[in-house]
Amino acid sequence: MAVRVRPDLAGITGYVPGRTVPGAVKLASNESGIGPLPSVVQAMASAGELINRYPDNNASVLTAKLAAKFGVDTEQIVVGCGSVMLCQQLIQATCAQGQKVAFGWRSFEAYPLLTRTAGAEPLMVPITEQQALDLDALADAVIAEADNVGLVFLCTPNNPTGTTLSREEINGFLAKVPGDITVVLDEAYREFATDGSPDGTEFLVDDNGNPRDNVVVLRTFSKAYGLAGLRVGYAIGHPALLNAVRAVHVPFSVNSLALAAAEVSLDAEDELTERVGTVTTERARVTDELKALGLPVTESQANFVWLALGEGTAAFDAFMQEHKVIVRAFAGDGARVTISTPDDNDAFLRAIRDYAGQA
Ligand SMILES: Cc1ncc(COP(=O)(O)O)c(C=O)c1O
């Protein structure tokens, strides 16, 4: 007799991470190319001495520090095992079986997977030709199925295209969609945005200064803070929504080393800002060169660039791999390339100059 598993999981293969190939430069996962700060290593070593104990399930110290940083109450913060787990918790907290989770496509590749494994259904709205989220079309799609939509993800800067949403676009969207639908502003790459796009936390209140209970901002320590391997992210939002997110938290899923590292990282903002500055300078250098080569690159506001290569994506991916550079390819759409250290970026540029010569 075959084991009984949920039939709706048939065909779902799980998340496919960026590849790591020995000897190749990995530019496939939007990680920081620089190792951890010395203060972070020190804090983890000290926390390691207490590793026989469970972590603080409420992440009290980190929560208090984040609340102070953003000028909010501690019940407006939830810490999670990476912001990806908070995405999952938000879906679980808002969507009943068969309800819809709306998002632009292409966007973060975990959204459809997390939606389906929660028993919900993706409502995917194509991005524009300029590779940006189409908030008018997304609002129309949400309104058309309003009773059945539990949550919307707005990813800004958008992974993998790097485009951001303007204040007018977000305000317009929030004014149009019903106020009982949760809108998640996924800002995993916020620290890299230099285009004056708004900080999602400003939408936690409406124009009259009244709190919105349906808006939540997601941030992570994985990207600008360089702690991808530790798995820690956080949500900022209204207590009414975050209490439901806390209800579906997997106990002790944020470990003690991650908490200690995130806490000290918040004391090292100057060093981290400098690191982010190096990435944004490198992003401009790489983007200019890709443009000069005549390649279809978007103006990214994140720590990666996006090449909308369409049907040429698979061949580009294979070429890069042959040249020992691992990018993240989405067949038929394009390739995302992480901005890393100047040396890694140079390796990518050398390979792509060859590609452009051949293409
Ligand atoms: C848009 C977006 N959101 C969330 C995440 C999850 O990041 P983490 O779970 O490492 O915090 C990622 C990771 O790539 C991402 O690109």
Side-chain angles (χ1 to χ4, degrees):
M1 195 186 288
V3 67
R4 238 183 298 149
V5 293
R6 269 172 49 195
D8 62 308
L9 294 182
I12 299 181
T13 47
Y15 184 75
V16 181
R19 289 159 298 162
T20 301
V21 176
V25 174
K26 184 186 177 199
L27 303 176
S29 296
N30 301 340
E31 297 148 328
S32 166
I34 319 171
L37 297 172
S39 58
V40 165
V41 176
Q42 178 65 49
M44 283 167 55
S46 304
E49 285 169 21
L50 283 174
I51 213 72
N52 52 314
R53 302 289 178 192
Y54 280 107
D56 171 9
N57 196 40
N58 298 320
S60 323
V61 176
L62 182 56
T63 299
K65 280 193 153 191
L66 288 168
K69 175 177 158 84
F70 290 98
V72 298
D73 294 335
T74 50
E75 68 262 33
Q76 289 180 264
I77 304 277
V78 172
V79 173
C81 178
S83 56
V84 71
M85 196 183 259
L86 289 164
C87 292
Q88 180 183 47
Q89 287 175 242
L90 279 157
I91 296 171
Q92 288 175 333
T94 55
C95 294
Q97 198 75 12
Q99 279 199 304
K100 305 228 162 149
V101 175
F103 46 89
W105 196 250
R106 219 169 240 289
S107 194
F108 181 31
E109 59 270 28
Y111 295 155
L113 176 70
L114 297 173
T115 299
R116 291 197 179 98
T117 54
E121 282 176 32
L123 178 57
M124 293 150 94
V125 175
I127 57 174
T128 66
E129 261 183 47
Q130 290 72 38
Q131 309 294 298
L133 295 181
D134 185 343
L135 285 209
D136 286 336
L138 195 56
D140 289 347
V142 169
I143 291 164
E145 301 216 38
D147 291 346
N148 210 18
V149 174
L151 177 137
V152 184
F153 282 115
L154 300 182
C155 188
T156 178
N158 187 43
N159 174 8
T161 61
T163 55
T164 52
L165 293 169
S166 69
R167 182 168 290 112
E168 294 68 35
E169 284 175 299
I170 299 175
N171 273 329
F173 184 82
L174 292 173
K176 277 196 239 170
V177 300
D180 59 352
I181 295 177
T182 294
V183 178
V184 181
L185 294 169
D186 185 345
E187 295 192 326
Y189 302 96
R190 170 69 201 159
E191 292 85 354
F192 301 102
T194 53
D195 63 349
S197 54
D199 180 322
T201 56
E202 75 176 67
F203 304 100
L204 296 173
V205 292
D206 66 17
D207 288 346
N208 302 317
N210 296 318
R212 286 190 168 109
D213 63 4
N214 68 321
V215 175
V216 61
V217 175
L218 285 185
R219 297 275 181 94
T220 180
F221 285 95
S222 296
K223 311 295 180 183
Y225 289 81
L227 303 183
L230 283 170
R231 317 301 309 124
V232 56
Y234 55 99
I236 317 167
H238 194 280
L241 176 58
L242 294 190
N243 284 341
V245 171
R246 282 186 196 96
V248 294
H249 169 73
V250 175
F252 308 119
S253 50
V254 186
N255 71 74
S256 326
L257 303 195
L259 290 173
E263 286 160 19
V264 297
S265 293
L266 291 176
D267 298 330
E269 297 275 7
D270 290 350
E271 282 156 285
L272 291 164
T273 304
E274 205 181 303
R275 288 184 172 198
V276 167
T278 308
V279 171
T280 54
T281 304
E282 281 292 289
R283 179 179 72 201
R285 176 173 80 94
V286 171
T287 304
D288 286 349
E289 176 133 8
L290 296 177
K291 279 191 204 158
L293 291 170
L295 293 162
V297 62
T298 53
E299 286 295 338
S300 171
Q301 294 300 316
N303 67 340
F304 52 81
V305 289
W306 171 247
L307 290 160
L309 294 166
E311 295 308 321
T313 304
F316 172 78
D317 185 31
F319 185 95
M320 284 292 141
Q321 195 165 337
E322 272 166 32
H323 288 71
K324 299 251 174 282
V325 177
I326 307 303
V327 302
R328 188 62 166 269
F330 300 103
D333 279 358
R336 192 191 69 199
V337 186
T338 304
I339 299 295
S340 182
T341 59
D343 283 352
D344 285 356
N345 302 333
D346 280 340
F348 166 60
L349 288 174
R350 276 194 300 277
I352 204 161
R353 275 180 218 126
D354 278 359
Y355 168 83
Q358 288 192 10

